[in-house]
Amino acid sequence: AGATFHQFVVPPLQECRRGECHYTPLPAFTLPEGAQWFKSCEMTMERRNVHACHAGALVHALEKWTHHEVGAIDPSRIDLTWDAAMRHGFRLAA
C-alpha cells in the first residue's frame, strides 16, 4: 500500500520520510556518442546523462523547431519528439 510518486521536476522533490511513500528515479537520457562540450554533471545524474526535460530541449534545438515547448505536454508531439531523440542518438539512461 501507499503512494508512488513518478517525478518529472528538476530538482526532484525531497522524499518524505514516511514508509508508505515511494519515489521512482527521474527519467533520463544518455547523450549521443558524438555530443561534445558538456563539461559538467547534472544535479542527480551520472556523467553523459541528462534529465528528460533537458534532453527534450536539446532535441528541440537540434531539430530547429519553432513551436513553444514550455508548459503542458502536447500529446500529439510525443512520438515525433521520441523519434527525433532516437534519430539523434539519445538513449534511455540505465
Side-chain angles (χ1 to χ4, degrees), residues 14-78:
Q14 185 175 5
E15 294 185 16
C16 74
R17 302 290 179 227
R18 299 172 60 172
E20 68 269 16
C21 296
H22 307 281
Y23 297 82
T24 60
L26 289 174
F29 283 84
T30 300
L31 293 169
E33 287 295 321
Q36 297 179 3
W37 308 110
F38 290 89
K39 300 289 185 187
S40 63
C41 295
E42 295 242 2
M43 292 174 263
T44 61
M45 300 284 135
E46 298 290 329
R47 286 206 180 275
R48 300 199 55 79
N49 291 339
V50 296
H51 294 100
C53 58
H54 297 161
L58 291 169
V59 170
H60 191 98
L62 289 166
E63 289 290 311
K64 297 180 173 66
W65 287 334
T66 58
H67 62 272
H68 198 303
E69 193 173 281
V70 176
I73 294 172
D74 180 353
S76 69
R77 290 191 172 143
I78 292 173

